[in-house]
Amino acid sequence: MPAAGVPLRVVSYNIHSQRDDTAALAEVVRAAGPDVVIVQEGPRRFRWRQKCATLADSFGLVVAAGGLPSLGNLLLTSLRVRVTATRCQRYPLTPGRHLRGAAYAECLVGGTRFLLAGSHLSTDPAERPGQAAAFKRELAAATLPVVAGADLNEGPDGPAWRTVAEGLTDAAVAMDRADRHTYSCANPRRRIDALFVDPRVEVVDYDVVDTPRTRQASDHFPVLVDLLLPAGD
């Protein structure tokens, strides 16, 4: 990669449908100072547009994509990031199961274009592999460098995780911090939340933010990653 890359700070965060301390949640994200936030369990029901906008404002960000059309997956950006196209995806419904989906935004920052993506896979181990495959098809079809965050609801040894991770860089592994657990805040014992990036993207730093405030804000810890995107032409 060229030395003159474009820095991007990313947070991927399952916010537990804002059931916990929302003041702590806003404080945690603002303190991180992200350029983009990939949210799982964001607003997806009554008045979801207003709720998504209010959440974004509490973070000091704006809504890029997601909400109800992506079933609670939400992409938020700072004003530094320009969003040029968006789309949402819903995975095929298994009767009696929870609806799941993904959100995508083509973005431009510092002259570099990239695809921002987020998803939240099922808690059902029989359902996850198919959802992972649907998410992976979208990521694999991208021509832009990919930055993808997800709550996979399984660890790195699971088939759905392996499907999504194939050909991408696991930011935790790149920084030798794969031992950092992301769930649950009450009893950290699993790494089920991940950020994957295109091989063209350099991982500069990775952290699972474990503080008294993150333990109040959600049942998941936020994943905080600093990246260098390849410089634009």
Side-chain angles (χ1 to χ4, degrees):
M1 164 180 279
V6 177
L8 188 79
R9 174 164 281 196
V10 182
V11 168
S12 186
Y13 203 175
N14 183 321
I15 64 170
H16 199 208
S17 300
Q18 297 171 268
R19 296 174 189 165
D20 303 295
D21 187 329
T22 55
L25 180 65
E27 181 183 316
V28 165
V29 174
R30 282 180 175 269
D35 296 302
V36 297
V37 177
I38 303 166
V39 174
Q40 299 89 41
E41 292 197 31
R44 54 175 286 184
R45 293 186 174 89
F46 183 63
R47 293 182 178 171
W48 64 270
R49 289 184 181 86
Q50 178 183 337
K51 291 175 181 177
C52 287
T54 299
L55 177 67
D57 186 64
S58 75
F59 293 168
L61 304 171
V62 297
V63 176
L68 175 61
S70 62
L71 301 169
N73 294 285
L74 184 62
L75 304 177
L76 308 176
T77 65
S78 72
L79 296 180
R80 176 174 175 254
V81 179
R82 178 185 169 197
V83 177
T84 60
T86 66
R87 63 186 183 278
C88 294
Q89 177 182 22
R90 294 189 179 190
Y91 301 137
L93 175 64
T94 302
R97 306 298 185 187
H98 292 295
L99 288 166
R100 302 287 184 176
Y104 306 88
E106 295 180 14
C107 301
L108 177 65
V109 62
T112 292
R113 296 182 181 276
F114 67 98
L115 178 67
L116 184 67
S119 187
H120 183 191
L121 304 188
S122 175
T123 57
D124 186 334
E127 210 173 19
R128 280 196 300 273
Q131 295 176 353
F135 186 43
K136 185 62 176 184
R137 281 193 293 271
E138 295 292 322
L139 300 181
T143 57
L144 299 176
V146 168
V147 176
D151 173 358
L152 298 164
N153 265 312
E154 69 180 31
D157 57 344
W161 183 297
R162 290 195 296 269
T163 293
V164 176
E166 183 179 2
L168 298 174
T169 300
D170 181 334
V173 173
M175 290 288 99
D176 196 24
R177 294 175 186 165
D179 59 342
R180 301 290 303 278
H181 296 153
T182 66
Y183 180 84
S184 69
C185 290
N187 181 21
R189 63 193 185 279
R190 303 175 68 198
R191 184 166 78 97
I192 64 173
D193 305 274
L195 189 83
F196 302 106
V197 299
D198 191 286
R200 291 170 285 181
V201 176
E202 179 182 349
V203 181
V204 178
D205 199 10
Y206 171 93
D207 193 18
V208 175
V209 185
D210 181 355
T211 68
R213 292 302 268 166
T214 59
R215 287 176 179 256
Q216 294 169 335
S218 177
D219 61 342
H220 289 243
F221 294 113
V223 172
L224 173 62
V225 184
D226 284 308
L227 304 173
L228 272 180
L229 303 176
D233 297 331

